[in-house]
Amino acid sequence: MENYSEDLDGVFQALADPTRRAVLGRLGSGPASISDLAAPFAMALPSFMKHIRFLEESGLIRTAKEGRVRTCSLERARFSMVEGWLSEQRAVWQARTDRLESLVLAREEFLRDQEKKEKDK
Amino acid sequence: MENYSEDLDGVFQALADPTRRAVLGRLGSGPASISDLAAPFAMALPSFMKHIRFLEESGLIRTAKEGRVRTCSLERARFSMVEGWLSEQRAVWQARTDRLESLVLAREEFLRDQEKKEKDK
DNA sequence: CGAATAGTTTTCCATAAGGCTAAGTATCAA
DNA sequence: TTGATACTTAGCCTTATGGAAAACTATTCG
């Protein structure tokens, strides 16, 4: 994927809003219609719809219309993008730790050598 | 925490930009100065500084100035906020799965009962 | 001291985000 | 067929974001 980074932008930004996170939380326990989802929020429907569209464009949810009702559902796979990024980060941290460790080991070895030479004198 | 949600907003939004993610990636392998961090980006310094301040306000990095150099370093603890949110979500999914499972089990039991009554007739 | 270095402050700009109201457009139900 | 339901579209407003240039401050080096 060449637009991996842009996708991440979208996913993280979608998650950067409490309304949208709440919607995702709700969808975690099963699909729901727009008005069901909107009910808990003191917000005009068109404003709420923007959040839904944002979530859909980020790929975190899917929506489908049947009759006059649009049903939204979670796209769980998309969440793994976040997990993926997190583990990349941890991998970098780990690599650093490993480098530091080998430095320490090298230094310890050096010190032992010094000591030995001192004794052999 | 009462501002847990706002903190999450900040963290996710900080992550929603490729420049900032790259900086975090770089800091993963150790602290660095502003100009070191800025070097890879074709961006005026003041623009870059905004990203640094954003990252600092989100709590994902710490910075300290010594002489004329400001050194930035990762605040790894902050990353666990994201992991925390992810596991909350997974917990919701799991709860749903459990409910569905018990429904299925209940239905199976019901069907067995029906069958038995049928036989006992 | 004087110049180069490393940030910092200020001001400006265009676009995106999040919210609103008002006015559509399709279903569905009586 | 009329009315209610369930969204949609369109337009408007304010604030936040990501970027830039110009000018300033504080260190450090020769």
Short mmCIF file of all heavy atoms in Angstrom, two decimals, chain B residues 10-55:
data_model
loop_
_atom_site.label_atom_id
_atom_site.label_comp_id
_atom_site.label_asym_id
_atom_site.label_seq_id
_atom_site.Cartn_x
_atom_site.Cartn_y
_atom_site.Cartn_z
N GLY B 10 -6.54 14.33 22.31
CA GLY B 10 -5.24 14.92 22.01
C GLY B 10 -4.26 13.90 21.47
O GLY B 10 -3.56 14.16 20.48
N VAL B 11 -4.21 12.75 22.11
CA VAL B 11 -3.27 11.72 21.68
C VAL B 11 -3.59 11.26 20.26
O VAL B 11 -2.71 11.22 19.39
CB VAL B 11 -3.29 10.53 22.65
CG1 VAL B 11 -2.54 9.34 22.06
CG2 VAL B 11 -2.69 10.94 23.99
N PHE B 12 -4.86 10.94 20.02
CA PHE B 12 -5.22 10.45 18.68
C PHE B 12 -4.96 11.53 17.63
O PHE B 12 -4.48 11.24 16.53
CB PHE B 12 -6.67 10.00 18.63
CG PHE B 12 -6.88 8.61 19.15
CD1 PHE B 12 -7.82 8.35 20.15
CD2 PHE B 12 -6.15 7.55 18.63
CE1 PHE B 12 -8.01 7.06 20.63
CE2 PHE B 12 -6.34 6.26 19.10
CZ PHE B 12 -7.27 6.01 20.10
N GLN B 13 -5.27 12.75 17.98
CA GLN B 13 -5.06 13.77 16.97
C GLN B 13 -3.57 14.00 16.71
O GLN B 13 -3.16 14.26 15.58
CB GLN B 13 -5.74 15.07 17.35
CG GLN B 13 -6.12 15.79 16.07
CD GLN B 13 -6.83 17.06 16.31
OE1 GLN B 13 -7.39 17.26 17.39
NE2 GLN B 13 -6.81 17.94 15.32
N ALA B 14 -2.78 13.89 17.76
CA ALA B 14 -1.34 14.02 17.57
C ALA B 14 -0.85 12.94 16.62
O ALA B 14 0.04 13.17 15.80
CB ALA B 14 -0.63 13.92 18.92
N LEU B 15 -1.45 11.77 16.69
CA LEU B 15 -1.03 10.64 15.85
C LEU B 15 -1.57 10.76 14.42
O LEU B 15 -1.12 10.04 13.53
CB LEU B 15 -1.50 9.33 16.47
CG LEU B 15 -0.89 9.00 17.84
CD1 LEU B 15 -1.45 7.69 18.36
CD2 LEU B 15 0.63 8.93 17.74
N ALA B 16 -2.48 11.69 14.22
CA ALA B 16 -3.16 11.78 12.92
C ALA B 16 -2.40 12.63 11.91
O ALA B 16 -3.00 13.22 11.02
CB ALA B 16 -4.58 12.33 13.12
N ASP B 17 -1.10 12.71 12.06
CA ASP B 17 -0.31 13.50 11.11
C ASP B 17 1.01 12.80 10.83
O ASP B 17 1.70 12.39 11.78
CB ASP B 17 -0.06 14.89 11.71
CG ASP B 17 0.80 15.75 10.80
OD1 ASP B 17 2.04 15.52 10.78
OD2 ASP B 17 0.27 16.62 10.12
N PRO B 18 1.35 12.64 9.56
CA PRO B 18 2.52 11.85 9.18
C PRO B 18 3.83 12.45 9.72
O PRO B 18 4.72 11.69 10.13
CB PRO B 18 2.50 11.89 7.65
CG PRO B 18 1.57 12.99 7.28
CD PRO B 18 0.61 13.15 8.40
N THR B 19 3.93 13.76 9.74
CA THR B 19 5.15 14.37 10.28
C THR B 19 5.31 13.98 11.75
O THR B 19 6.37 13.54 12.18
CB THR B 19 5.07 15.91 10.18
OG1 THR B 19 4.90 16.27 8.81
CG2 THR B 19 6.33 16.55 10.70
N ARG B 20 4.23 14.11 12.49
CA ARG B 20 4.32 13.80 13.92
C ARG B 20 4.59 12.32 14.15
O ARG B 20 5.37 11.96 15.03
CB ARG B 20 3.04 14.26 14.62
CG ARG B 20 2.93 15.78 14.67
CD ARG B 20 1.84 16.26 15.60
NE ARG B 20 0.50 15.94 15.15
CZ ARG B 20 -0.33 16.81 14.58
NH1 ARG B 20 0.05 18.06 14.37
NH2 ARG B 20 -1.54 16.45 14.22
N ARG B 21 3.96 11.46 13.37
CA ARG B 21 4.24 10.03 13.54
C ARG B 21 5.70 9.74 13.24
O ARG B 21 6.34 8.96 13.94
CB ARG B 21 3.32 9.18 12.65
CG ARG B 21 1.90 9.04 13.20
CD ARG B 21 1.17 7.88 12.56
NE ARG B 21 1.17 7.95 11.11
CZ ARG B 21 0.33 8.67 10.39
NH1 ARG B 21 -0.61 9.39 10.99
NH2 ARG B 21 0.40 8.69 9.07
N ALA B 22 6.23 10.41 12.21
CA ALA B 22 7.64 10.18 11.87
C ALA B 22 8.54 10.63 13.02
O ALA B 22 9.52 9.95 13.35
CB ALA B 22 7.98 10.93 10.59
N VAL B 23 8.21 11.75 13.62
CA VAL B 23 9.01 12.24 14.74
C VAL B 23 8.98 11.21 15.88
O VAL B 23 10.03 10.89 16.47
CB VAL B 23 8.49 13.60 15.24
CG1 VAL B 23 9.11 13.96 16.58
CG2 VAL B 23 8.78 14.68 14.20
N LEU B 24 7.81 10.69 16.16
CA LEU B 24 7.70 9.69 17.23
C LEU B 24 8.54 8.47 16.88
O LEU B 24 9.22 7.91 17.76
CB LEU B 24 6.24 9.29 17.43
CG LEU B 24 5.34 10.40 18.01
CD1 LEU B 24 3.88 9.94 18.04
CD2 LEU B 24 5.80 10.78 19.41
N GLY B 25 8.50 8.09 15.61
CA GLY B 25 9.29 6.94 15.18
C GLY B 25 10.77 7.19 15.44
O GLY B 25 11.47 6.35 16.01
N ARG B 26 11.21 8.37 15.05
CA ARG B 26 12.62 8.72 15.26
C ARG B 26 12.97 8.72 16.75
O ARG B 26 14.01 8.19 17.16
CB ARG B 26 12.87 10.09 14.65
CG ARG B 26 14.17 10.77 15.03
CD ARG B 26 15.38 9.99 14.55
NE ARG B 26 16.62 10.56 15.05
CZ ARG B 26 17.04 10.50 16.30
NH1 ARG B 26 16.31 9.85 17.20
NH2 ARG B 26 18.17 11.05 16.68
N LEU B 27 12.11 9.30 17.56
CA LEU B 27 12.39 9.39 18.99
C LEU B 27 12.39 8.02 19.66
O LEU B 27 12.95 7.84 20.74
CB LEU B 27 11.39 10.31 19.68
CG LEU B 27 11.58 11.81 19.39
CD1 LEU B 27 10.51 12.63 20.09
CD2 LEU B 27 12.97 12.27 19.81
N GLY B 28 11.76 7.06 18.98
CA GLY B 28 11.74 5.71 19.52
C GLY B 28 13.15 5.16 19.67
O GLY B 28 13.41 4.34 20.55
N SER B 29 14.07 5.60 18.82
CA SER B 29 15.43 5.09 18.96
C SER B 29 16.33 6.04 19.74
O SER B 29 17.55 5.92 19.67
CB SER B 29 16.03 4.73 17.60
OG SER B 29 15.68 5.66 16.62
N GLY B 30 15.72 6.95 20.50
CA GLY B 30 16.51 7.79 21.39
C GLY B 30 16.23 9.28 21.25
O GLY B 30 15.71 9.72 20.23
N PRO B 31 16.52 10.06 22.29
CA PRO B 31 16.26 11.49 22.32
C PRO B 31 16.98 12.22 21.19
O PRO B 31 17.97 11.71 20.65
CB PRO B 31 16.82 11.91 23.68
CG PRO B 31 16.82 10.68 24.50
CD PRO B 31 17.11 9.57 23.54
N ALA B 32 16.48 13.39 20.84
CA ALA B 32 17.13 14.17 19.78
C ALA B 32 16.76 15.64 19.93
O ALA B 32 15.76 15.98 20.56
CB ALA B 32 16.69 13.65 18.42
N SER B 33 17.58 16.48 19.33
CA SER B 33 17.32 17.92 19.38
C SER B 33 16.30 18.29 18.31
O SER B 33 16.04 17.53 17.37
CB SER B 33 18.60 18.69 19.11
OG SER B 33 18.94 18.56 17.75
N ILE B 34 15.73 19.49 18.47
CA ILE B 34 14.75 19.98 17.50
C ILE B 34 15.32 19.96 16.08
O ILE B 34 14.70 19.44 15.17
CB ILE B 34 14.36 21.43 17.84
CG1 ILE B 34 13.73 21.51 19.24
CG2 ILE B 34 13.43 21.99 16.79
CD1 ILE B 34 12.29 21.16 19.29
N SER B 35 16.51 20.51 15.90
CA SER B 35 17.02 20.62 14.53
C SER B 35 17.36 19.25 13.95
O SER B 35 17.17 19.04 12.75
CB SER B 35 18.19 21.59 14.45
OG SER B 35 18.82 21.76 15.67
N ASP B 36 17.83 18.34 14.77
CA ASP B 36 18.04 16.97 14.28
C ASP B 36 16.72 16.40 13.80
O ASP B 36 16.63 15.81 12.72
CB ASP B 36 18.56 16.08 15.42
CG ASP B 36 20.05 16.31 15.66
OD1 ASP B 36 20.65 17.11 14.93
OD2 ASP B 36 20.61 15.68 16.59
N LEU B 37 15.70 16.56 14.61
CA LEU B 37 14.39 16.01 14.26
C LEU B 37 13.84 16.67 13.01
O LEU B 37 13.21 16.02 12.17
CB LEU B 37 13.41 16.22 15.42
CG LEU B 37 13.67 15.38 16.67
CD1 LEU B 37 12.74 15.82 17.79
CD2 LEU B 37 13.46 13.90 16.36
N ALA B 38 14.07 17.96 12.88
CA ALA B 38 13.48 18.72 11.77
C ALA B 38 14.17 18.43 10.45
O ALA B 38 13.55 18.53 9.38
CB ALA B 38 13.55 20.21 12.08
N ALA B 39 15.45 18.08 10.51
CA ALA B 39 16.26 17.93 9.30
C ALA B 39 15.59 17.19 8.14
O ALA B 39 15.64 17.67 7.01
CB ALA B 39 17.60 17.27 9.66
N PRO B 40 14.93 16.04 8.39
CA PRO B 40 14.38 15.29 7.25
C PRO B 40 13.18 15.96 6.58
O PRO B 40 12.74 15.49 5.53
CB PRO B 40 13.92 13.97 7.89
CG PRO B 40 14.56 13.92 9.23
CD PRO B 40 14.76 15.34 9.65
N PHE B 41 12.64 17.00 7.16
CA PHE B 41 11.40 17.55 6.63
C PHE B 41 11.60 18.86 5.87
O PHE B 41 12.33 19.74 6.33
CB PHE B 41 10.39 17.76 7.76
CG PHE B 41 10.09 16.50 8.51
CD1 PHE B 41 10.75 16.21 9.71
CD2 PHE B 41 9.19 15.59 8.00
CE1 PHE B 41 10.50 15.03 10.39
CE2 PHE B 41 8.94 14.40 8.68
CZ PHE B 41 9.59 14.13 9.88
N ALA B 42 10.97 18.96 4.71
CA ALA B 42 11.06 20.17 3.89
C ALA B 42 10.01 21.15 4.40
O ALA B 42 8.98 21.36 3.79
CB ALA B 42 10.80 19.82 2.43
N MET B 43 10.32 21.75 5.52
CA MET B 43 9.31 22.55 6.20
C MET B 43 10.05 23.63 6.99
O MET B 43 11.14 23.35 7.52
CB MET B 43 8.55 21.63 7.16
CG MET B 43 7.36 22.23 7.84
SD MET B 43 6.65 21.07 9.04
CE MET B 43 6.21 19.66 8.02
N ALA B 44 9.50 24.81 7.04
CA ALA B 44 10.15 25.87 7.82
C ALA B 44 10.17 25.47 9.29
O ALA B 44 9.25 24.79 9.76
CB ALA B 44 9.42 27.19 7.63
N LEU B 45 11.19 25.89 9.99
CA LEU B 45 11.33 25.51 11.39
C LEU B 45 10.10 25.86 12.24
O LEU B 45 9.64 25.02 13.01
CB LEU B 45 12.58 26.16 12.00
CG LEU B 45 13.60 25.29 12.71
CD1 LEU B 45 14.08 25.97 13.97
CD2 LEU B 45 13.05 23.91 13.04
N PRO B 46 9.59 27.07 12.13
CA PRO B 46 8.43 27.40 12.97
C PRO B 46 7.25 26.45 12.74
O PRO B 46 6.55 26.09 13.69
CB PRO B 46 8.08 28.82 12.54
CG PRO B 46 9.36 29.39 12.04
CD PRO B 46 10.05 28.24 11.37
N SER B 47 7.06 26.03 11.50
CA SER B 47 5.98 25.08 11.22
C SER B 47 6.28 23.76 11.92
O SER B 47 5.40 23.16 12.54
CB SER B 47 5.89 24.84 9.71
OG SER B 47 5.88 26.06 9.01
N PHE B 48 7.51 23.36 11.83
CA PHE B 48 7.90 22.10 12.47
C PHE B 48 7.70 22.18 13.99
O PHE B 48 7.20 21.25 14.61
CB PHE B 48 9.35 21.77 12.15
CG PHE B 48 9.79 20.45 12.71
CD1 PHE B 48 9.42 19.28 12.07
CD2 PHE B 48 10.54 20.39 13.86
CE1 PHE B 48 9.81 18.05 12.59
CE2 PHE B 48 10.93 19.17 14.39
CZ PHE B 48 10.56 18.00 13.76
N MET B 49 8.08 23.33 14.54
CA MET B 49 7.93 23.52 15.99
C MET B 49 6.49 23.33 16.45
O MET B 49 6.25 22.85 17.56
CB MET B 49 8.41 24.92 16.38
CG MET B 49 9.90 25.11 16.32
SD MET B 49 10.71 24.25 17.69
CE MET B 49 9.98 25.13 19.07
N LYS B 50 5.56 23.71 15.60
CA LYS B 50 4.16 23.51 15.99
C LYS B 50 3.88 22.04 16.25
O LYS B 50 3.16 21.69 17.18
CB LYS B 50 3.23 24.03 14.88
CG LYS B 50 3.04 25.52 14.88
CD LYS B 50 1.81 25.88 14.06
CE LYS B 50 1.75 27.37 13.79
NZ LYS B 50 0.62 27.71 12.90
N HIS B 51 4.44 21.20 15.40
CA HIS B 51 4.22 19.76 15.58
C HIS B 51 4.82 19.30 16.90
O HIS B 51 4.22 18.51 17.62
CB HIS B 51 4.83 19.00 14.41
CG HIS B 51 4.10 19.19 13.13
ND1 HIS B 51 2.78 18.80 12.96
CD2 HIS B 51 4.47 19.75 11.96
CE1 HIS B 51 2.39 19.10 11.73
NE2 HIS B 51 3.39 19.68 11.11
N ILE B 52 6.02 19.81 17.18
CA ILE B 52 6.66 19.43 18.44
C ILE B 52 5.81 19.87 19.63
O ILE B 52 5.58 19.08 20.56
CB ILE B 52 8.06 20.09 18.53
CG1 ILE B 52 8.97 19.56 17.41
CG2 ILE B 52 8.68 19.85 19.90
CD1 ILE B 52 9.32 18.11 17.54
N ARG B 53 5.32 21.09 19.56
CA ARG B 53 4.50 21.56 20.69
C ARG B 53 3.22 20.72 20.82
O ARG B 53 2.79 20.39 21.91
CB ARG B 53 4.15 23.05 20.49
CG ARG B 53 4.78 23.91 21.60
CD ARG B 53 4.59 25.39 21.33
NE ARG B 53 5.71 25.94 20.58
CZ ARG B 53 5.60 26.68 19.47
NH1 ARG B 53 4.42 26.92 18.94
NH2 ARG B 53 6.69 27.14 18.89
N PHE B 54 2.67 20.38 19.67
CA PHE B 54 1.46 19.56 19.67
C PHE B 54 1.75 18.22 20.35
O PHE B 54 0.99 17.75 21.21
CB PHE B 54 1.00 19.34 18.23
CG PHE B 54 -0.45 19.03 18.10
CD1 PHE B 54 -1.22 19.63 17.11
CD2 PHE B 54 -1.09 18.14 18.95
CE1 PHE B 54 -2.57 19.35 16.97
CE2 PHE B 54 -2.44 17.86 18.81
CZ PHE B 54 -3.17 18.47 17.83
N LEU B 55 2.85 17.63 19.96
CA LEU B 55 3.22 16.34 20.55
C LEU B 55 3.44 16.47 22.05
O LEU B 55 3.04 15.61 22.83
CB LEU B 55 4.50 15.82 19.88
CG LEU B 55 4.32 15.21 18.49
CD1 LEU B 55 5.66 14.96 17.83
CD2 LEU B 55 3.51 13.92 18.57
#
